[in-house]
Amino acid sequence: MVQIDAKILVNEGIGPQRHKMALYAPQIGRQAKPGQFIHVRVSNNFPPLLRRPFSIHRVEGQKIEILYKVVGKGTEILSEKKRGEYLDILGPLGKGYRLPSATSKISDIILVAGGTGVASLLFLAEAISVANAELSILVLIGAKNREELLCEEDFRRLGCRVEVATENGSRGYKGLASDLLENYLPLSEDRPKPAVFACGPSEMLKRIGKISRKHRFPCQVSLEERLACGVGACLGCVVKAKGSSYTYKRVCKDGPVFDAGELIW
Amino acid sequence: MVQIDAKILVNEGIGPQRHKMALYAPQIGRQAKPGQFIHVRVSNNFPPLLRRPFSIHRVEGQKIEILYKVVGKGTEILSEKKRGEYLDILGPLGKGYRLPSATSKISDIILVAGGTGVASLLFLAEAISVANAELSILVLIGAKNREELLCEEDFRRLGCRVEVATENGSRGYKGLASDLLENYLPLSEDRPKPAVFACGPSEMLKRIGKISRKHRFPCQVSLEERLACGVGACLGCVVKAKGSSYTYKRVCKDGPVFDAGELIW
Amino acid sequence: MMQKAKDKPPNLGIELAGISLKNPVMVASGTFGYGEEYAELVDLNRLGAIVAKTITLKPRLGNEPPRIVETASGVLNSIGLQNVGIDAFINEKLPFFREYDVPLIVSIAGDTIDEYVQLAKTLKGEEISGLELNLSCPNIKYGRKFMFAQDPKTTHQVVSRVRKATSLPLMVKLSPNVTDISSIARVCEEAGADGVSLINTFTGMAIDIESRKPILRQITGGLSGPAIKPIALRMVYEVHRAVKIPIIGIGGIMTAGDALEFIIAGAEAVAIGTGNFVDPLTPIKVIDGIREYMIRNKIKDIKSMVGSLQCRKS
Amino acid sequence: MMQKAKDKPPNLGIELAGISLKNPVMVASGTFGYGEEYAELVDLNRLGAIVAKTITLKPRLGNEPPRIVETASGVLNSIGLQNVGIDAFINEKLPFFREYDVPLIVSIAGDTIDEYVQLAKTLKGEEISGLELNLSCPNIKYGRKFMFAQDPKTTHQVVSRVRKATSLPLMVKLSPNVTDISSIARVCEEAGADGVSLINTFTGMAIDIESRKPILRQITGGLSGPAIKPIALRMVYEVHRAVKIPIIGIGGIMTAGDALEFIIAGAEAVAIGTGNFVDPLTPIKVIDGIREYMIRNKIKDIKSMVGSLQCRKS
Ligand SMILES: Cc1cc2nc3c(=O)[nH]c(=O)nc-3n(C[C@H](O)[C@H](O)[C@H](O)COP(=O)(O)OP(=O)(O)OC[C@H]3O[C@@H](n4cnc5c(N)ncnc54)[C@H](O)[C@@H]3O)c2cc1C
Ligand SMILES: Cc1cc2nc3c(=O)[nH]c(=O)nc-3n(C[C@H](O)[C@H](O)[C@H](O)COP(=O)(O)OP(=O)(O)OC[C@H]3O[C@@H](n4cnc5c(N)ncnc54)[C@H](O)[C@@H]3O)c2cc1C
Ligand SMILES: Cc1cc2nc3c(=O)[nH]c(=O)nc-3n(C[C@H](O)[C@H](O)[C@H](O)COP(=O)(O)O)c2cc1C
Ligand SMILES: Cc1cc2nc3c(=O)[nH]c(=O)nc-3n(C[C@H](O)[C@H](O)[C@H](O)COP(=O)(O)O)c2cc1C
Ligand code: FES
Ligand code: FES
């Protein structure tokens, strides 16, 4: 974990209200694992007062990328930043996805991405395709409409199979990415269960969590909560998790990636 | 007085931390009198929460100009605005300079400008040279150093005589503009007194006020105070003025131009 | 925004303590002068009501400047109730309002309870819609350490004595500088107030570290603006559960969304203060924004929104 | 910044209620975890002191999320004192600090006075520099409507009972949600406190107008950040004139300038809360900025700044 002033190398629109930013941040890139995030001070002025968290989308040489959607003041200001400016960022933060270990019986990986949830899952797909090249990866991407679909080609280029769902049916399956997942189930008994990794709106994750409980496959989900410190100090970002009765875990430090099974939804 | 979204036509540096901005604002230009100001919302975000006031520097056809110095957050943000963006402005506000009436015995005009005080005085010089072309205008400009001197040539082009003072002596007289004024005094008894108009730091205005009292010449000064509403409603911007014992006058509405004689300093 | 012909426009009108308002958006005392200052920029007839700058018996010069300083998302002011006095107000300022179709609420303040009573009596028979007792100006010390609104006992005395002296709708403007604003509001209700205005400013200060002097000549001033909104909103929420009389929500309102938060928390109406300085059209934009919200959410009557907060626990 | 050889560097060290601090800049309770969370980013040895997250007798789970929402120049939180409990704190968190050369002040809170006493006794003999009694958490209701620090009588009881139970330096953290903070501070002084920490958060709220629900699950939360600085500063100024024990100034400090305002108003030391979230290096930058200010203004000793406000009138 480091705090650096990172130079903006690219900041460009890649879809309606969607932007991609590349930052020169070798110190962070070196350490980064899929599912981790950076905590960005978007402005020295405020609002926004607090930093804003963004998943690490890709690491490429000296640079890291994030992929973000403009939803409020902070992301709006971010989208107006120019190449060559500097951003004060903290990272890499949080606990990322647990990659399938070499000895696991997993043979299939399913990634379920809703909206900007693709951001961390592309990084994950890259990591798996390097570390566990033998695994087949299926990516289910959901979006409101075809314009808002992201990263389809990037996943294909990695050799993943990609299925698409849009809420208005303007591309692929008409419905939600979680429907696509359900269509693949129940799984036949004769082959090992897939490992599912999901990132997207909390409603989607909740639904996938339920499916994973029902069909008993391993499932990691990456959550979003409002963060303050981002480093585990303020206890502002907790989610309910299983404990003796229950306990609260910090999205920023114990997560953002959790086993679906440990959460109380 | 109107509120408009004015398009920025020019916003350029003209010296160290000094900028000139031209705005498309025919509605304001038509009404504007020298000494009046506009009240600018520099950002939809805050800080700065409150508007920032700037004297009207020139009116040229459909456009008005302001001349400003970056001293804090508001003016910093202003200096970063780009041509083509819009600014929410109120104006023209306040009571401007009272021009010498056609029947007055005044033959000489002296303008004393400190720092960005030149802003409103150039507009005044233009107005006088149109309305009272027979009057001779002497302009005394003061600044910290030669780099910070503003508008010298603009005044000359209007046919004014210009004398310059810098605090470090890097141009003209070494000292203050108010010293220059004092050097012209005492005035001989045989010719009519000059009318003095001054705009600049409050210390300078105080000194000039004193000189005017001593030598008994008419003197108008343009004051600065922290404004809130800018339209006379909040009573936040008052200065002490003579009354039965004393009274408070609003810089934004009763001023910013006052007769030096009515102020209690 | 599209609207079918058969849809009736939403009703923004309310009855506030007996005063009919076209909409629940007023302008707060001290931030809108005597109305005339903003008349060139704002269509006064569109406002729910105007609360005039607080008036005292005698004209007051107010505090020495500087009186204003900006803080993070806020403004400190120490105007000190500069005003023309009740007589000049009636003679010189009131006639202006006859040209307008907007309720005028007159804010009054006194150094003593008798002065409040005398002010209320003096205003009897004038063409005004209501009174607001300003018991909470942080820039005036009534010869003692506290404001009226910081003490339940004096609050009760002022309100009940003024209540007897006037039949005009009577609002009481409370101070947030208290431990328990609900109990003060309850006292107002018991003493016969028709409503409470929440809140006046918080006492605060700012220091110039170079000169090591307070920036305001008066040392302290009243904090207003978006900075205080969360606290004001909480106070409205608390008081709404404590009293039955209507609440005027005040504090940092800049947008229709802010105003709606106050209404949902329990305010019958809202008033805009500092927002007027930032953008004179704030009240108008807030009114339009509330209307759009109601159309979008198919809300027919603003009254159904008041106190409609849905709490998952209590 | 140039400095002549003969110029001694300015002295930022202070003696705070018997604790020696390298400089007057601490980190506030609840905003810096148990120190370890920030250790990778901040050189803890440079801090004046660390005030740990408030500890209770039993572990507490804290409130249901959402617990955080940003407001204009502020943050509302309703953590609800989630903490590991005193035993785990001593066994698991304290050892970490042995590696560092920085005073640790432990903040404690109880549901009853007895619990405060018991906590103080349990911490006897531990390697800590002082205690801070948190009497002012707005997210905990001690079975009644008010916090301890909203009532002079209970405040006196807690402080004097804990005073008897410990010889450690004893700070009391006060609430700004009161009518008269000076009187509460005076009570602390009388009851034997070695200092007061001003201020904890203001109770506030925020509403989501689309769902018409409070954004925080707990409905209300504590407001911190730059928004509250002017009020916190005023409270420090008032309390400085009312008591002789040292004051720790807290509330919205983001820069050295902010910290200096508090010191000039009368704070012996300051603590940074929300500022840590915005920039973990805030405390370090504040320390450096204070030093630069002192050099620039030829101030040899920080102590000469405390309460050095020059008021043109009183
Ligand atoms: C670990 C983590 C990783 C993330 N990665 C990405 C990413 O890769 N790409 C991306 O586009 N976004 C990501 N997000 C979300 C992103 O941080 C928010 O969209 C951003 O902070 C919004 O800032 P804003 O100032 O633009 O919006 P705001 O003005 O703060 O909020 C806009 C709206 O969104 C709501 N909102 C904002 N943040 C949250 C939240 N955390 N939980 C619930 N509601 C919220 C607000 O209530 C409001 O309605 C991530 C969040 C977390 C916690
Ligand atoms: C009627 C009027 C006309 C003006 N015309 C011009 C002009 O033509 N050109 C120009 O450059 N400036 C002009 N000013 C001054 C200008 O408005 C301020 O410099 C500007 O508002 C500063 O904004 P800021 O946010 O950059 O600085 P801030 O961050 O607000 O302040 C920076 C520093 O300046 C001090 N300061 C700011 N405003 C004032 C004030 N009004 N009185 C005393 N101290 C203050 C602050 O205390 C602080 O130390 C005028 C002011 C008035 C009242
Ligand atoms: C410059 C100024 C002057 C004010 N004068 C008065 C006043 O005379 N009487 C009064 O009751 N409130 C007065 N107030 C308080 C406002 O009416 C309002 O209660 C407060 O500013 C909070 O609302 P806001 O955050 O929208 O400004 C004044 C506020 C400001 C900023
Ligand atoms: C997320 C958060 C948690 C806090 N937890 C505590 C706490 O456990 N004990 C305490 O005394 N104060 C707590 N506080 C209050 C701070 O210590 C501090 O008094 C307050 O935030 C004001 O300072 P600031 O504006 O610099 O944040 C907390 C504040 C925040 C923002
Ligand atoms: S954001 Fe502070 S603990 Fe997670
Ligand atoms: S700024 Fe409001 S009266 Fe002048």
Side-chain angles (χ1 to χ4, degrees):
Chain A
M1 189 200 332
V2 293
Q3 177 176 10
I4 57 169
D5 277 323
K7 191 172 190 167
I8 299 174
L9 304 172
V10 179
N11 190 23
E12 60 182 19
I14 54 162
Q17 300 289 71
R18 269 106 184 131
H19 299 258
K20 194 193 265 189
M21 181 182 273
L23 294 159
Y24 180 81
Q27 313 92 316
I28 291 178
R30 261 196 306 277
Q31 305 172 24
K33 296 193 193 69
Q36 289 190 303
F37 66 96
I38 60 172
H39 211 24
V40 180
R41 186 161 184 198
V42 298
S43 165
N44 288 331
N45 218 338
F46 33 82
L49 178 62
L50 296 173
R51 287 169 184 263
R52 296 292 190 261
F54 300 96
S55 301
I56 298 171
H57 176 46
R58 299 186 73 178
V59 176
E60 217 183 285
Q62 314 272 48
K63 72 178 204 227
I64 62 172
E65 282 181 11
I66 60 173
L67 190 156
Y68 63 97
K69 179 177 163 192
V70 174
V71 298
K73 201 76 212 166
T75 42
E76 185 189 324
I77 294 173
L78 202 62
S79 71
E80 290 159 0
K81 299 275 170 190
K82 303 269 175 305
R83 193 185 143 152
E85 291 183 50
Y86 285 80
L87 268 190
D88 169 0
I89 63 178
L90 287 178
L93 300 178
K95 202 165 68 57
Y97 299 101
R98 210 176 48 255
L99 267 67
S101 74
T103 56
S104 82
K105 293 171 304 175
I106 301 288
S107 66
D108 293 307
I109 300 285
I110 304 181
L111 311 184
V112 194
T116 54
V118 288
S120 67
L121 290 175
L122 184 69
F123 189 10
L124 176 64
E126 284 184 351
I128 294 178
S129 64
V130 170
N132 316 68
E134 72 290 359
L135 299 181
S136 83
I137 306 178
L138 166 65
V139 186
L140 311 176
I141 308 182
K144 281 234 173 61
N145 51 52
R146 60 183 301 156
E147 290 75 27
E148 299 193 355
L149 272 171
L150 292 171
C151 298
E152 208 182 322
E153 281 316 306
D154 296 307
F155 283 109
R156 289 229 166 82
R157 226 172 288 129
L158 289 173
C160 307
R161 205 178 117 204
V162 179
E163 302 272 339
V164 161
T166 55
E167 285 178 38
N168 68 354
S170 54
R171 273 253 3 239
Y173 174 83
K174 179 170 177 172
L176 307 170
S178 53
D179 299 346
L180 285 182
L181 177 63
E182 243 175 334
N183 293 349
Y184 279 85
L185 308 168
L187 302 153
S188 54
E189 292 290 319
D190 53 343
R191 50 174 304 179
K193 312 224 171 213
V196 173
F197 300 82
C199 185
S202 65
E203 277 315 310
M204 176 188 108
L205 299 182
K206 245 181 238 183
R207 199 163 297 145
I208 293 173
K210 241 187 220 157
I211 302 173
S212 78
R213 224 170 15 258
K214 186 164 147 212
H215 295 281
R216 310 176 133 263
F217 53 79
C219 178
Q220 294 176 45
V221 294
S222 177
L223 300 186
E224 293 189 4
E225 251 301 334
R226 292 162 202 270
L227 306 191
C229 71
V231 300
C234 75
L235 308 177
C237 62
V238 300
V239 289
K240 217 174 210 172
K242 290 175 185 154
S244 57
S245 70
Y246 67 91
T247 180
Y248 287 119
K249 295 209 167 162
R250 297 163 299 181
V251 165
C252 73
K253 186 88 178 178
D254 308 314
V257 178
F258 294 91
D259 276 311
E262 63 179 316
L263 298 172
I264 304 181
W265 260 324
Chain B
M1 187 201 331
V2 292
Q3 177 175 9
I4 56 168
D5 277 321
K7 191 172 189 166
I8 299 173
L9 304 172
V10 179
N11 190 24
E12 59 182 19
I14 55 162
Q17 301 289 70
R18 270 107 184 130
H19 298 258
K20 194 193 266 190
M21 180 183 273
L23 294 158
Y24 181 81
Q27 314 92 315
I28 291 178
R30 263 196 305 277
Q31 306 172 24
K33 297 193 193 70
Q36 289 189 304
F37 65 96
I38 60 172
H39 210 22
V40 180
R41 186 161 184 197
V42 296
S43 166
N44 288 332
N45 218 340
F46 33 83
L49 179 62
L50 296 173
R51 287 169 183 264
R52 296 291 189 261
F54 300 96
S55 301
I56 298 170
H57 176 47
R58 299 185 73 178
V59 176
E60 218 183 283
Q62 313 272 49
K63 72 176 205 229
I64 62 171
E65 283 181 11
I66 60 173
L67 189 155
Y68 63 96
K69 180 178 162 192
V70 174
V71 299
K73 200 77 213 166
T75 42
E76 186 188 325
I77 294 173
L78 202 62
S79 71
E80 290 159 1
K81 298 273 172 193
K82 303 270 174 302
R83 191 183 146 152
E85 291 182 50
Y86 285 79
L87 269 189
D88 168 1
I89 64 177
L90 287 178
L93 300 178
K95 204 164 66 56
Y97 299 101
R98 210 175 49 253
L99 267 65
S101 74
T103 56
S104 83
K105 293 172 304 178
I106 300 290
S107 67
D108 293 308
I109 300 285
I110 304 181
L111 311 183
V112 194
T116 54
V118 289
S120 68
L121 291 175
L122 185 68
F123 189 11
L124 176 65
E126 284 183 352
I128 294 177
S129 64
V130 169
N132 318 69
E134 72 289 358
L135 298 181
S136 83
I137 305 178
L138 167 65
V139 187
L140 311 176
I141 309 181
K144 282 234 173 63
N145 51 52
R146 60 183 302 156
E147 289 76 27
E148 300 193 356
L149 272 171
L150 293 171
C151 297
E152 208 182 323
E153 281 317 305
D154 296 307
F155 283 109
R156 289 228 165 82
R157 228 172 286 128
L158 289 173
C160 306
R161 207 178 115 203
V162 180
E163 302 270 339
V164 162
T166 54
E167 285 178 38
N168 68 355
S170 54
R171 272 246 14 232
Y173 173 83
K174 178 171 176 171
L176 307 169
S178 54
D179 298 346
L180 286 181
L181 177 63
E182 243 177 334
N183 293 349
Y184 279 84
L185 309 166
L187 302 152
S188 54
E189 291 290 317
D190 52 345
R191 52 174 301 178
K193 312 224 171 212
V196 172
F197 300 82
C199 185
S202 67
E203 278 313 310
M204 176 189 110
L205 299 181
K206 245 181 237 183
R207 199 163 296 145
I208 293 173
K210 240 187 220 157
I211 302 173
S212 79
R213 226 171 13 260
K214 185 162 149 212
H215 295 281
R216 312 177 132 261
F217 54 77
C219 177
Q220 295 176 45
V221 295
S222 177
L223 300 186
E224 292 187 5
E225 250 301 335
R226 291 163 204 267
L227 306 192
C229 71
V231 300
C234 75
L235 308 177
C237 62
V238 300
V239 290
K240 216 174 210 172
K242 289 174 185 156
S244 58
S245 71
Y246 67 90
T247 180
Y248 287 119
K249 295 208 166 160
R250 298 163 298 183
V251 165
C252 73
K253 186 87 178 181
D254 307 314
V257 178
F258 294 91
D259 276 312
E262 62 179 315
L263 299 172
I264 303 180
W265 261 325
Chain C
M1 119 209 65
M2 292 221 302
Q3 215 181 309
K4 290 196 211 113
K6 61 168 182 159
D7 288 346
K8 272 208 287 186
N11 178 22
L12 270 76
I14 58 159
E15 201 62 31
L16 181 80
I19 315 170
S20 291
L21 310 189
K22 290 187 204 79
N23 62 64
V25 182
M26 338 200 320
V27 288
S29 180
T31 66
F32 211 73
Y34 300 120
E36 54 197 14
E37 290 85 353
Y38 276 110
E40 262 183 74
L41 297 169
V42 182
D43 181 354
L44 304 186
N45 294 320
R46 290 204 52 198
L47 301 174
I50 292 174
V51 188
K53 170 78 186 163
T54 300
I55 293 291
T56 53
L57 221 40
K58 296 258 147 25
R60 285 183 79 112
L61 293 168
N63 291 330
E64 278 192 54
R67 292 179 175 182
I68 290 271
V69 59
E70 188 170 323
T71 65
S73 300
V75 174
L76 283 167
N77 89 79
S78 63
I79 311 298
L81 293 191
Q82 174 174 347
N83 79 93
V84 297
I86 189 71
D87 293 338
F89 175 75
I90 291 174
N91 297 327
E92 294 160 26
K93 305 294 178 185
L94 264 188
F96 170 81
F97 284 97
R98 299 214 183 101
E99 300 170 29
Y100 293 92
D101 172 30
V102 58
L104 176 69
I105 295 172
V106 178
S107 169
I108 57 176
D111 286 329
T112 62
I113 298 182
D114 284 343
E115 285 188 15
Y116 278 97
V117 172
Q118 208 178 324
L119 281 159
K121 285 186 175 156
T122 312
L123 283 162
K124 244 185 204 167
E126 296 298 337
E127 284 177 61
I128 65 176
S129 300
L131 288 184
E132 184 173 87
L133 302 188
N134 179 358
L135 304 186
S136 49
C137 179
N139 296 311
I140 295 287
K141 291 280 170 302
Y142 298 96
R144 39 187 182 300
K145 200 176 156 198
F146 297 106
M147 314 169 205
F148 282 100
Q150 287 183 308
D151 178 16
K153 246 167 65 188
T154 41
T155 299
H156 192 280
Q157 285 168 12
V158 193
V159 177
S160 54
R161 293 242 352 246
V162 174
R163 176 70 295 171
K164 281 184 205 115
T166 187
S167 55
L168 282 167
L170 187 63
M171 306 290 160
V172 185
K173 178 115 171 237
L174 298 187
S175 171
N177 300 289
V178 295
T179 307
D180 181 19
I181 196 158
S182 309
S183 67
I184 311 271
R186 250 190 320 256
V187 160
C188 294
E189 182 174 47
E190 284 160 18
D194 296 309
V196 281
S197 301
L198 308 179
I199 56 176
N200 213 316
T201 53
F202 282 88
T203 309
M205 75 186 289
I207 294 173
D208 177 344
I209 61 167
E210 300 306 331
S211 65
R212 297 205 216 164
K213 288 179 184 164
I215 295 183
L216 298 177
R217 186 68 159 88
Q218 222 43 230
I219 305 174
T220 62
L223 183 66
S224 64
I228 67 170
K229 195 194 78 173
I231 321 179
L233 191 64
R234 183 265 299 177
M235 290 182 166
V236 166
Y237 164 74
E238 278 183 3
V239 169
H240 177 65
R241 289 150 41 112
V243 301
K244 295 212 173 58
I245 51 176
I247 298 165
I248 302 172
I250 315 171
I253 298 175
M254 307 291 285
T255 65
D258 295 334
L260 285 162
E261 285 189 71
F262 277 92
I263 291 169
I264 293 167
E268 208 100 0
V270 297
I272 287 154
T274 305
N276 295 307
F277 308 157
V278 177
D279 181 358
L281 290 180
T282 302
I284 305 298
K285 289 177 181 169
V286 167
I287 296 165
D288 291 342
I290 292 176
R291 181 177 298 108
E292 280 164 32
Y293 173 93
M294 289 174 70
I295 293 172
R296 200 168 59 242
N297 291 284
K298 303 196 172 48
I299 294 162
K300 296 209 182 67
D301 197 318
I302 187 86
K303 284 185 282 293
S304 69
M305 297 276 303
V306 176
S308 63
L309 185 72
Q310 309 199 353
C311 287
R312 288 155 287 191
K313 55 155 260 179
S314 74
Chain D
M1 114 209 68
M2 292 222 301
Q3 215 182 307
K4 289 196 213 113
K6 61 167 181 158
D7 288 347
K8 272 208 286 185
N11 177 22
L12 269 77
I14 58 159
E15 201 62 32
L16 181 81
I19 315 171
S20 291
L21 310 189
K22 291 187 202 81
N23 62 64
V25 182
M26 338 200 321
V27 287
S29 180
T31 65
F32 210 73
Y34 300 119
E36 54 197 13
E37 291 84 354
Y38 276 110
E40 263 183 74
L41 297 168
V42 182
D43 180 354
L44 304 186
N45 293 320
R46 290 204 55 199
L47 301 174
I50 292 174
V51 187
K53 170 77 185 163
T54 300
I55 293 291
T56 53
L57 220 41
K58 295 257 147 23
R60 285 183 78 112
L61 292 167
N63 292 330
E64 277 192 54
R67 293 179 173 182
I68 291 272
V69 57
E70 187 170 324
T71 66
S73 300
V75 174
L76 282 168
N77 88 79
S78 63
I79 311 297
L81 292 192
Q82 174 174 348
N83 78 94
V84 296
I86 188 72
D87 293 338
F89 176 75
I90 291 175
N91 296 328
E92 294 160 25
K93 304 296 176 183
L94 264 189
F96 170 81
F97 284 97
R98 299 215 183 101
E99 300 170 30
Y100 293 91
D101 173 31
V102 58
L104 176 70
I105 295 173
V106 176
S107 169
I108 58 176
D111 285 329
T112 62
I113 299 183
D114 283 342
E115 286 187 14
Y116 279 98
V117 172
Q118 208 179 324
L119 282 159
K121 285 187 177 156
T122 312
L123 283 162
K124 244 186 205 167
E126 296 298 336
E127 284 176 60
I128 65 176
S129 299
L131 288 184
E132 184 173 86
L133 301 187
N134 179 358
L135 304 185
S136 50
C137 179
N139 295 312
I140 295 289
K141 291 280 171 300
Y142 299 95
R144 34 186 187 300
K145 200 175 158 199
F146 297 106
M147 314 168 207
F148 283 100
Q150 287 184 309
D151 178 15
K153 247 169 58 193
T154 41
T155 299
H156 193 280
Q157 285 167 10
V158 194
V159 177
S160 53
R161 292 238 357 243
V162 174
R163 175 72 295 171
K164 279 182 209 118
T166 186
S167 56
L168 281 167
L170 186 63
M171 306 289 159
V172 185
K173 179 113 170 239
L174 298 186
S175 171
N177 299 291
V178 296
T179 307
D180 182 19
I181 196 159
S182 309
S183 66
I184 311 273
R186 249 189 321 255
V187 160
C188 294
E189 182 174 45
E190 284 161 19
D194 296 310
V196 282
S197 301
L198 309 179
I199 56 178
N200 212 316
T201 53
F202 282 89
T203 309
M205 75 187 288
I207 293 174
D208 177 342
I209 61 167
E210 300 306 332
S211 66
R212 297 205 216 162
K213 288 179 184 164
I215 294 183
L216 298 177
R217 186 68 160 87
Q218 220 45 231
I219 305 175
T220 61
L223 183 66
S224 64
I228 66 170
K229 195 193 78 173
I231 321 178
L233 192 63
R234 184 264 300 175
M235 289 182 166
V236 167
Y237 164 75
E238 278 182 5
V239 169
H240 178 65
R241 288 151 41 113
V243 301
K244 295 210 174 58
I245 50 175
I247 298 165
I248 301 171
I250 315 171
I253 298 176
M254 307 292 284
T255 65
D258 295 334
L260 286 162
E261 285 190 70
F262 276 92
I263 291 170
I264 293 167
E268 208 100 359
V270 297
I272 287 155
T274 304
N276 295 308
F277 308 156
V278 177
D279 181 356
L281 289 179
T282 302
I284 304 299
K285 289 177 180 167
V286 167
I287 295 165
D288 291 342
I290 292 177
R291 180 176 298 108
E292 281 164 32
Y293 173 93
M294 289 174 70
I295 293 172
R296 200 169 59 242
N297 290 285
K298 302 196 172 50
I299 294 162
K300 295 209 184 64
D301 198 318
I302 187 86
K303 285 186 280 294
S304 69
M305 298 276 302
V306 177
S308 63
L309 185 72
Q310 310 201 351
C311 288
R312 290 155 286 193
K313 56 155 261 180
S314 74

